[in-house]
């Protein structure tokens, strides 16, 4: 920003931020010793690096130190965050991976894996109120709602199985269906699911009753309505017991 018509202090701020984002490309502001700027550069990077590493533990574990370091530094340099809140840095990192990141050396499942790991944080921090668990099978002829703390998820890769010794190069034929949820004890859990169940959860709150929602799923997926109703009633009962579905709040 040197040479612009900005007030001197604002120009100093831009130079300061530019150097922190990419110290190799942008010189430090005039009049500030490099050793002092190095302290700020290190603090900003280390804080972001530590927060991302603690959120995306599996992704951090499967990438080499050099690969991870280069990615985080590119994120700091390239991405313009739209939130001032520190806890939303992982969400900004997802936006960077989806829109700005372009590296052939990244694992093909990296974005999905990071989204899967971010869901745990997002559910843990959510201020939404859970539905009460239901010890008895709910009435299928009444409307049911999906808990705001239950998220149906679909991934091309089996992200819940990715480890250092399990890194698929191509997605399998079958998609991975999961439900992430926070229970009454405030624990975030994931359960394996399937296309029919996830679709049921997506439309449950809009249908006049759970029975109608099951019939809609059967029609959309060209399944036997009686079979869907039979299995669906059992699934809804189990989901209600976990607080994933329940009676809508007034």
């Amino acid at each position: 920003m040197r040479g612009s018509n900005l007030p001197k202090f604002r120009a100093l701020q831009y130079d300061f931020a530019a150097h922190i984002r990419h110290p190799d490309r942008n010189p430090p502001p005039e009049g500030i010793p490099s050793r002092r700027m190095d302290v700020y550069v290190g603090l900003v990077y280390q804080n972001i690096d530590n927060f991302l590493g603690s959120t995306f533990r599996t992704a951090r574990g499967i990438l080499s130190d050099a690969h991870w370091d280069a990615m985080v530094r590119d994120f700091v340099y390239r991405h313009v965050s739209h939130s001032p809140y520190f806890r939303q840095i992982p969400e900004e990192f997802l936006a960077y991976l989806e829109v700005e990141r372009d590296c052939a050396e990244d694992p093909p499942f990296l974005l999905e894996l990071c989204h899967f790991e971010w869901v745990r944080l997002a559910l843990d921090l959510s201020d939404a109120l859970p539905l009460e668990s239901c010890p008895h099978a709910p009435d299928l002829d009444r409307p049911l709602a999906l808990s705001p703390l239950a998220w149906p998820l679909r991934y091309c890769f089996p992200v819940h199985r990715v480890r250092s010794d399990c890194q698929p190069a191509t997605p399998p034929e079958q998609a991975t269906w999961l439900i992430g949820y926070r229970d009454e004890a405030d624990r975030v859990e994931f359960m394996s699911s399937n296309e029919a169940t996830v679709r049921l959860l997506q439309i449950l709150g809009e249908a006049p009753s759970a029975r109608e929602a099951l019939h809609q799923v059967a029609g959309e997926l060209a399944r036997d309505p009686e079979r869907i109703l039979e299995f669906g009633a059992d699934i809804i009962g189990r989901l209600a017991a976990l607080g994933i579905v329940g009676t809508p709040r007034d």
Side-chain angles (χ1 to χ4, degrees):
M1 299 300 296
R2 292 188 176 103
S4 71
N5 294 322
L6 288 173
K8 184 176 180 179
F9 181 68
R10 288 196 62 190
L12 178 65
Q13 287 180 313
Y14 277 113
D15 289 345
F16 186 90
H19 181 70
I20 287 178
R21 283 180 175 274
H22 204 311
D24 294 334
R25 293 190 180 186
N26 302 298
E30 295 178 358
I32 301 181
S34 295
R35 61 184 178 81
R36 292 188 178 180
M37 284 301 304
D38 289 345
V39 173
Y40 289 104
V41 171
L43 284 174
V44 169
Y45 172 78
Q46 289 166 14
N47 282 334
I48 293 176
D49 175 60
N50 290 338
F51 197 57
L52 291 177
S54 63
T55 301
F56 306 112
R57 294 180 183 273
T58 302
R60 177 65 184 94
I62 65 175
L63 298 176
S64 68
D65 290 344
H67 192 138
W68 175 265
D69 178 76
M71 182 168 61
V72 174
R73 291 190 181 279
D74 188 61
F75 166 65
V76 173
Y77 165 66
R78 191 179 304 278
H79 185 71
V80 178
S81 296
H82 297 283
S83 170
Y85 298 107
F86 195 78
R87 72 179 191 178
Q88 290 185 320
I89 288 177
E91 190 171 355
E92 297 286 351
F93 185 70
L94 285 179
Y96 157 77
L97 289 179
E98 184 174 13
V99 178
E100 298 156 312
R101 181 72 174 170
D102 184 17
C103 179
E105 296 179 1
D106 287 346
F109 52 78
L110 182 62
L111 175 59
E112 288 194 339
L113 173 62
C114 287
H115 182 274
F116 170 68
E117 296 196 277
W118 167 79
V119 167
R120 182 180 296 277
L121 174 69
L123 287 173
D124 187 53
L125 295 178
S126 175
D127 295 326
L129 296 175
L131 300 177
E132 293 183 4
S133 61
C134 178
H136 306 292
D139 184 353
L140 296 185
D141 291 314
R142 298 184 61 186
L144 291 177
L146 174 66
S147 168
L149 294 174
W151 294 7
L153 305 166
R154 179 192 183 280
Y155 298 107
C156 294
F157 287 90
V159 290
H160 59 310
R161 296 186 183 137
V162 171
R163 297 291 185 272
S164 58
D165 58 348
C166 180
Q167 299 185 46
T170 57
E173 292 184 5
Q174 298 296 324
T176 292
W177 304 89
L178 302 170
I179 302 172
Y181 66 98
R182 198 173 87 195
D183 63 18
E184 288 184 302
D186 284 333
R187 295 171 301 200
V188 176
E189 306 285 353
F190 291 90
M191 64 181 295
S192 295
S193 189
N194 54 58
E195 182 182 7
T197 301
V198 166
R199 180 55 184 151
L200 172 65
L201 294 180
Q202 290 172 341
I203 65 176
L204 201 57
E206 302 173 359
S209 70
R211 190 181 304 275
E212 290 294 329
L214 288 168
H215 279 293
Q216 182 176 336
V217 170
E220 290 181 358
L221 302 181
R223 307 286 178 83
D224 178 19
E226 293 302 319
R227 189 170 180 81
I228 286 288
L229 192 62
E230 177 184 352
F231 284 99
D234 178 66
I235 290 171
I236 287 176
R238 287 189 279 129
L239 295 177
L242 294 172
I244 293 176
V245 301
T247 303
R249 294 180 179 273
D250 295 332

